[in-house]
């Protein structure tokens, strides 16, 4: 699914937004819709109520005017008899002998209030007033209050969304960080402990599920590691006996073949045991202070005098010499086995680079890193068991170092053409890797 989405939306074109802002925007939108709906309802209800009051007032005034007219007194209140401007709808009701009121839309949107009553002589007595200024002022003040209240609701909802979304986002970020630590091999990290808090929500359910999955995977990997270690350990004795017996055979080509395969099997068994120990996370580095350039030059010269070593910048480092030598020799062996000469080693500060001039590392290794029993594509396969780089990466991890891989390509070289070499880079840490549980080797005191 991720690959499909990645093809549909490139990483550089994807829009990344925080959960807090999405939640804030959602709450603000809902608050705005609710505020608008309530404002419209309140506005209409207030307007209808005021119009009803105006119609009731007009009805009372027309009744007073009717009594005064029929008693022969002078007319007041702006009452007219047989007003030609009386609305037709109102006139139809009055003709039927009913006293009625009517609201019409006047100039500039101001309502006109009409009231009419039939007289005994068949004439129509009507009253025409407009929506009072006081009522219009009250409506304007009400609309202003509704607008201010709506804005306050939207801003308050946004702030509440930021607070709630921020808390949820922090919990999710903590969960993601803890999950990444588990993925990197820190088996003692648990997502539920990382997010903390007293609130129990879906985030806790997710954390518990991830922790349960991590525990199950850890148990399965530990079982597989134990089985692998047990098999390799059980094979060590018969393989050693086979190698001893082969050395007792009479000289000849068959004996050389048997010895060669027996030695290869012993090497494989030892490598499998080493990988099992590295997977158990029980290995600890024995740290010493060494001059890195001098150390690498002496070890490479003893291993293969044909390999050129170039010390660009000498530095003193605190590391495990035995494990560093193991990593260096495995990188050299991989370059000799799968690459092409010349093989070059450079030391620059705390960085060691091993380069060959072969077809380069396979893409699977560059993407996923070293995988056991995987030797790459046909250009870099045919010999070996795929454990050399796996052991090198594991030993580097114990030292607190970082091992990276890349291919050397000329600018503009098409991807389908082979690279011009492979480079393995070992980055030693600036400080002693105490976070791996390593410990320094103390010098012996003289007596």
């Amino acid at each position: 699914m991720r690959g499909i989405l990645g093809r549909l939306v490139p990483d550089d074109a994807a829009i990344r937004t925080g959960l807090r802002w999405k939640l804030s925007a959602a709450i603000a939108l809902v608050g705005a819709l609710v505020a608008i709906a309530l404002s419209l309802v309140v506005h209409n209800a207030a307007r209808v109520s005021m119009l009803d009051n105006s119609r009731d007032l007009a009805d009372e005034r027309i009744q007073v005017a009717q009594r005064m007219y029929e008693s022969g007194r002078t007319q007041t209140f702006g009452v007219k008899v047989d007003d030609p401007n009386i609305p037709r709808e109102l006139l139809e009701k009055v003709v039927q002998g009913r006293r009625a009121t009517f609201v019409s839309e006047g100039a500039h949107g101001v309502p006109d209030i009409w009231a009419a009553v039939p007289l005994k002589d068949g004439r129509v007595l009507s009253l025409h007033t407009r929506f009072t200024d006081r009522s219009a002022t009250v409506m304007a003040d009400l609309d202003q209050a509704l607008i201010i209240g709506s804005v306050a609701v939207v801003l308050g909802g946004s702030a509440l969304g930021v607070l709630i979304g921020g808390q949820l986002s922090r919990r999710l970020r903590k969960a993601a960080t803890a999950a990444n630590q588990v993925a990197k091999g820190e088996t003692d990290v648990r997502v539920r402990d990382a997010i903390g808090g007293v609130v129990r929500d879906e985030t806790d359910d997710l954390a518990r599920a991830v922790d349960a999955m991590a525990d199950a995977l850890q148990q399965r990997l530990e079982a597989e590691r134990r089985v692998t270690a047990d098999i390799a350990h059980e094979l060590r004795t018969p393989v050693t006996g086979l190698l001893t017996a082969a050395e007792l055979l009479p000289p000849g080509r068959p004996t050389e073949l048997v010895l060669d395969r027996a030695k290869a099997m012993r090497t494989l068994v030892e490598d499998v045991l080493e990988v099992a120990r590295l997977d158990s996370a029980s290995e600890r580095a024995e740290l010493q202070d060494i001059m890195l350039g001098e150390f690498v030059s002496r070890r490479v010269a003893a291993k293969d005098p044909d390999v050129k070593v170039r010390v660009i910048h000498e530095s003193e480092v605190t590391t495990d010499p035995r494990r560093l030598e193991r990593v260096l020799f495995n990188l050299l062996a991989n370059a000799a086995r799968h690459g092409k000469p010349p093989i070059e080693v450079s030391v620059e500060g705390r960085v060691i680079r091993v380069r060959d001039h072969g077809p380069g590392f396979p893409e699977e290794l560059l993407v996923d890193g070293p995988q056991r029993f995987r030797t790459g594509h046909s250009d870099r396969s045919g010999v070996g068991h795929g454990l050399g780089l796996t052991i090198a990466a594991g030993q580097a991890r114990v030292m607190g170092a970082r091992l990276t891989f890349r291919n050397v390509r000329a600018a503009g070289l098409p991807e389908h053409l082979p690279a011009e070499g492979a480079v393995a880079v070992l980055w030693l840490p600036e400080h002693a890797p105490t976070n791996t549980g390593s410990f320094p080797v103390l010098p012996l005191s003289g007596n």
Side-chain angles (χ1 to χ4, degrees):
M1 178 61 71
R2 183 177 180 183
I4 296 176
L5 294 177
R7 289 192 295 270
L8 293 178
V9 181
D11 291 339
D12 55 353
I15 300 176
R16 180 180 177 86
T17 57
L19 181 62
R20 68 168 63 184
W21 304 116
K22 293 179 181 178
L23 188 58
S24 175
I27 293 179
L29 178 60
V30 173
L33 294 177
V34 172
I36 291 174
L38 290 178
S39 298
L40 292 176
V41 170
V42 172
H43 174 86
N44 290 331
R47 188 173 187 274
V48 170
S49 177
M50 289 185 177
L51 288 176
D52 289 342
N53 292 335
S54 298
R55 294 175 68 172
D56 292 340
L57 179 61
D59 184 62
E60 293 176 0
R61 292 175 65 183
I62 197 65
Q63 292 182 57
V64 173
Q66 180 186 11
R67 289 193 296 269
M68 294 178 64
Y69 181 85
E70 291 177 348
S71 63
R73 286 181 288 179
T74 304
Q75 300 298 314
T76 57
F77 311 120
V79 177
K80 294 182 180 181
V81 178
D82 292 335
D83 188 349
N85 297 322
I86 187 171
R88 181 174 56 82
E89 295 85 349
L90 178 61
L91 185 60
E92 291 176 354
K93 294 180 180 180
V94 175
V95 170
Q96 297 175 4
R98 299 164 52 189
R99 187 181 75 250
T101 59
F102 184 79
V103 178
S104 63
E105 193 71 26
H108 306 291
V110 179
D112 288 335
I113 312 300
W114 290 84
V117 62
L119 299 175
K120 295 179 179 179
D121 56 5
R123 305 176 74 181
V124 176
L125 185 65
S126 64
L127 173 67
H128 177 210
T129 60
R130 292 184 178 276
F131 204 52
T132 63
D133 294 338
R134 180 175 179 275
S135 298
T137 302
V138 171
M139 288 300 301
D141 293 340
L142 177 62
D143 291 341
Q144 182 179 5
L146 291 175
I147 293 174
I148 295 176
S150 299
V151 173
V153 168
V154 173
L155 295 179
S158 300
L160 181 62
V162 171
L163 292 177
I164 298 177
Q167 182 180 6
L168 182 59
S169 178
R170 283 192 298 271
R171 289 166 63 86
L172 290 176
R173 283 198 299 269
K174 290 179 180 179
T177 301
N180 287 330
Q181 291 175 339
V182 173
K184 292 178 180 178
E186 300 182 23
T187 57
D188 58 335
V189 176
R190 287 296 175 266
V191 178
R192 179 65 189 84
D193 297 334
I195 62 176
V198 296
V199 179
R200 297 293 181 264
D201 53 14
E202 288 78 3
T203 309
D204 290 83
D205 297 336
L206 175 62
R208 295 179 189 276
V210 173
D211 289 341
M213 179 182 65
D215 290 336
L217 289 176
Q218 182 180 355
Q219 293 174 3
R220 183 171 180 179
L221 291 174
E222 181 62 22
E224 293 179 355
R225 187 197 65 79
R226 285 197 301 267
V227 170
T228 302
D230 292 342
I231 292 175
H233 188 272
E234 293 298 327
L235 286 175
R236 173 186 282 180
T237 300
V239 169
T240 302
L242 177 61
L243 183 59
T244 302
E247 292 175 348
L248 299 177
L249 294 175
R253 182 58 179 169
T255 300
E256 293 177 359
L257 294 176
V258 172
L259 280 173
D260 180 69
R261 292 298 88 196
K263 291 179 180 179
M265 185 175 295
R266 182 179 64 179
T267 301
L268 175 59
V269 171
E270 295 296 335
D271 287 348
V272 171
L273 282 173
E274 186 173 358
V275 170
R277 289 194 300 270
L278 293 172
D279 288 343
S280 67
S282 60
E283 292 287 286
R284 296 292 181 266
E286 299 179 357
L287 304 177
Q288 294 182 8
D289 294 333
I290 62 173
M291 300 304 295
L292 186 59
E294 179 186 355
F295 177 87
V296 172
S297 299
R298 286 190 288 106
R299 293 299 190 273
V300 172
K303 178 69 175 178
D304 189 351
D306 295 332
V307 175
K308 179 182 178 181
V309 179
R310 185 164 61 103
V311 179
I312 302 174
H313 176 65
E314 180 66 283
S315 65
E316 182 178 5
V317 298
T318 302
T319 187
D320 188 327
R322 181 180 63 85
R323 298 183 189 277
L324 177 59
E325 180 180 306
R326 178 67 162 151
V327 173
L328 182 61
F329 284 179
N330 278 20
L331 295 180
L332 291 174
N334 182 81
R337 182 179 296 117
H338 300 296
K340 294 180 181 179
I343 299 174
E344 302 170 349
V345 178
S346 64
V347 179
E348 184 176 0
R350 298 175 178 274
V351 181
I352 303 175
R353 293 179 176 85
V354 178
R355 177 187 176 179
D356 64 58
H357 290 73
F361 292 113
E363 290 298 324
E364 294 82 359
L365 186 144
L366 297 178
V367 174
D368 302 327
Q371 303 292 323
R372 64 193 65 181
F373 300 110
R374 180 186 294 179
T375 58
H377 53 70
S378 57
D379 290 341
R380 294 179 67 90
S381 64
V383 292
H385 305 287
L387 296 178
L389 293 182
T390 303
I391 293 174
Q395 296 289 10
R397 185 171 58 252
V398 174
M399 294 188 299
R402 183 164 57 98
L403 185 59
T404 61
F405 306 92
R406 65 180 178 87
N407 289 334
V408 179
R409 285 184 173 276
L413 185 68
E415 289 295 331
H416 66 277
L417 296 179
E420 298 179 353
V423 181
V425 186
L426 180 65
W427 309 76
L428 294 176
E430 183 176 356
H431 303 287
T434 53
N435 60 335
T436 65
S438 305
F439 54 89
V441 176
L442 299 178
L444 296 176
S445 59
N447 293 328

